[in-house]
Every structure is written in C-alpha cells, then in structure tokens.
Amino acid sequence: MKRNGFDEDVEVVEKASKGDVLAFKKLYESNKGRIYNYALRMTNDRDAANEITQEIFVKAYRHLKRLRKKDSFKSWLMAIAVNFTKDFLKYKRRKGEIFDDNKRLQQIDNFESNESPESLFLENEMKDAVIKSLSMLKPFHREIIVLYYIEGFSIKEIASIISVSEGTVKSRLSRAREEISKELRRLGF
C-alpha cells in the first residue's frame, strides 16, 4: 500500500534494519504467504516450502541493512527467495533428493459451496491440469509464470529480481505461456 507516494513498508523496514524485532515480525507476517507460495510452486513440496520460507527470512533479517532505500522491500525479498530456492533445488538434486516435478499438489481446499458437484469437479480438474502444466515447465519458465501471474510482479521488477533483461523476461514469459497452453491442450483443456 502506498501513502503519500511512498511504500508503507519503508518505515517498518527502516525500524527493522535498526534491530527492531517487532518491526521485522510485521514484515514477516505481511510477506510470509507470498514467499511460501513461491517456494511451494517451485518445489511442489510443502515441507521444503516451509524450510525455504524460514531460511529466506533468516537471510533477510541478517542482511536487511544492505537494502538500499530506493529498493522495494518486496522485490528485494523475492530476489532472495528466487536465488535461495534455486540453490536449494540444486543442492537437493546433487544429494539425489530430486523433487518430482510431476507430483501433483493436493491444494484443493475443503469448503462448502452452492455449486453443483459437476461444476466443482470440472473446476478441480482444471486446477489440477494447471498445476500439472506448471510443474512440467523448466524451472526458469515456472519462475517467470509464478512471479508474473501469481505474485503480480511487473516485467521490470522480475528483470531486477532475477537479474536478466526485460527482453529475456518477456521471451521466457511468452515461451512459458506456449508450453502451458500446449500441455493443457494435451490434457484435453
């Protein structure tokens, strides 16, 4: 949220960077969901996503003083998340603990609905197909899709987060869309 043209987090970030634990807790509470969801979509593993989330916030707390005032805290934090998650996945693959990218996430929440069982079934089938399609992407394409469509970062922000040009982001995003469309068609959607 913005107030007077400035990000409200600026004051909280400033306090946290000076050692205010309550301010950092506020930053953690307002950003943990975003980081967890990113890690979950990149690993397809809830335990790994929890571990990654905790490690990212520990890293952020230790390095908060390095954040330049002109940087957005959320973009800076997401850059840490992207880099840490890549390193985490490389480490796990080297150790032979390869995550099954085809493993389906069981994320469908139990809730009551007025929708018919048929429409709920079709909605759940589509969710499963999208999750499967996302998991079939190469990690750098999945990363772009998650950052752009799920996390809502702009092309420019993503370029900064993953340290590539805006053209590279656009190219990867286009290619990822094509791959997801192809996979959804293959699955009958």
Side-chain angles (χ1 to χ4, degrees), residues 130-152:
V130 169
I131 289 168
K132 183 173 184 177
S133 297
L134 188 60
S135 72
M136 300 297 285
L137 294 176
K138 293 177 182 170
F140 58 88
H141 285 146
R142 185 178 330 142
E143 171 182 86
I144 295 292
I145 292 290
V146 170
L147 291 173
Y148 188 76
Y149 287 107
I150 298 171
E151 299 303 332

Side-chain angles (χ1 to χ4, degrees), residues 7 67-77 157:
D7 198 5
L67 177 64
R68 294 186 308 259
K69 299 217 185 309
K70 67 180 181 176
D71 289 338
S72 159
F73 176 77
K74 288 179 176 135
S75 293
W76 178 77
L77 185 63
E157 290 171 321

Side-chain angles (χ1 to χ4, degrees), residues 103-116:
K103 181 171 65 174
R104 291 179 14 181
L105 296 175
Q106 301 301 320
Q107 295 183 9
I108 299 164
D109 296 327
N110 293 326
F111 62 92
E112 292 196 20
S113 173
N114 293 330
E115 294 184 51
S116 70

Side-chain angles (χ1 to χ4, degrees), residues 54-80:
Q54 294 304 313
E55 290 295 328
I56 288 166
F57 279 98
V58 167
K59 218 172 173 59
Y61 185 75
R62 288 183 183 151
H63 300 289
L64 194 54
K65 291 180 182 179
R66 294 182 187 174
L67 177 64
R68 294 186 308 259
K69 299 217 185 309
K70 67 180 181 176
D71 289 338
S72 159
F73 176 77
K74 288 179 176 135
S75 293
W76 178 77
L77 185 63
M78 189 56 72
I80 293 171

Side-chain angles (χ1 to χ4, degrees), residues 135-178:
S135 72
M136 300 297 285
L137 294 176
K138 293 177 182 170
F140 58 88
H141 285 146
R142 185 178 330 142
E143 171 182 86
I144 295 292
I145 292 290
V146 170
L147 291 173
Y148 188 76
Y149 287 107
I150 298 171
E151 299 303 332
F153 285 101
S154 70
I155 299 288
K156 185 175 183 175
E157 290 171 321
I158 295 169
S160 174
I161 289 168
I162 64 173
S163 302
V164 297
S165 71
E166 290 180 40
T168 299
V169 172
K170 290 176 185 177
S171 172
R172 288 181 184 175
L173 187 57
S174 176
R175 184 70 181 141
R177 286 181 193 135
E178 289 173 20

